Amino acid sequence: MITRLAFCWVLVLTLAWALPAHAQFDKTPWPARQAVPLLDVQDLQGQRWTTDQLKGRVVVLNFWATWCAPCKEELPSLQTLHELSGGNPLVLGINVREPASRVSRYLQSTGLNFPVVLDSQGALSKQWGVSVYPTTILIAPNGKAQWRIQGDVDWSGPEAARWLNALNPTQR
């Protein structure tokens, strides 16, 4: 017969093991006093993206790497969002600290085709306060960052759709 104490320990250990599987991300508001960094970047296809060009659109700015398992789990849902969105929201990937050849091979082998910018030295990550991968910054049409999400998200799911719709009330 299992004692009550042993049962409680088994329950605690089971919950401790199971909880991380359900808590995949941490969504926090962009700090009100933190300025939003300006963007002036070029993606792997040669397209230039600037803060001014992005105004009027919701932007899903995703920091990722091929060496990051949660990033690789999240990328297919970002591709789905990219394909279904018609460019609003705009999915813009920022690959961190990897050579262009590796990133290009990875994108080609996986069929990912949303715009990807290289952050070879980690300067963009630092400007945006990113230290955990994946991290996604949700930017409203007015150009202001609204949310920082650390961890992988299912961008094709209903929760992410609510977040994106809330950023662009005119699209409802």
Side-chain angles (χ1 to χ4, degrees):
M1 179 174 358
I2 299 177
T3 68
R4 179 176 275 205
L5 181 59
F7 176 77
C8 287
W9 274 110
V10 168
L11 182 61
V12 167
L13 292 173
T14 301
L15 288 174
W17 177 76
L19 283 178
H22 297 290
Q24 296 178 353
F25 61 85
D26 180 31
K27 179 179 170 237
T28 57
W30 184 264
R33 296 179 188 214
Q34 184 176 341
V36 176
L38 295 176
L39 274 176
D40 189 354
V41 295
Q42 186 173 333
D43 67 25
L44 290 170
Q45 289 74 35
Q47 171 75 39
R48 186 171 175 215
W49 301 96
T50 67
T51 299
D52 287 341
Q53 289 173 322
L54 296 174
K55 284 205 174 151
R57 302 165 89 172
V58 171
V59 178
V60 177
L61 189 64
N62 180 264
F63 291 81
W64 66 280
T66 63
W67 44 259
C68 164
C71 298
K72 290 163 64 171
E73 289 178 26
E74 178 181 55
L75 289 170
S77 70
L78 284 166
Q79 177 65 31
T80 299
L81 178 62
H82 168 70
E83 290 171 358
L84 297 177
S85 71
N88 196 17
L90 170 73
V91 176
L92 184 58
I94 309 291
N95 177 270
V96 182
R97 296 192 174 118
E98 294 189 274
S101 59
R102 178 183 297 158
V103 176
S104 294
R105 277 192 313 271
Y106 182 79
L107 294 173
Q108 186 175 12
S109 71
T110 57
L112 299 173
N113 65 6
F114 55 83
V116 173
V117 172
L118 296 178
D119 186 18
S120 302
Q121 303 302 315
L124 283 171
S125 296
K126 187 174 183 178
Q127 287 175 345
W128 287 87
V130 174
S131 59
V132 173
Y133 302 100
T135 290
T136 304
I137 311 296
L138 297 182
I139 303 170
N142 64 6
K144 303 218 184 232
Q146 300 295 309
W147 298 100
R148 176 179 296 158
I149 303 155
Q150 296 178 323
D152 59 302
V153 170
D154 177 4
W155 291 100
S156 58
E159 187 169 25
R162 282 191 299 274
W163 302 341
L164 296 169
N165 287 335
L167 289 176
N168 201 4
T170 61
Q171 294 289 317
R172 291 182 192 165

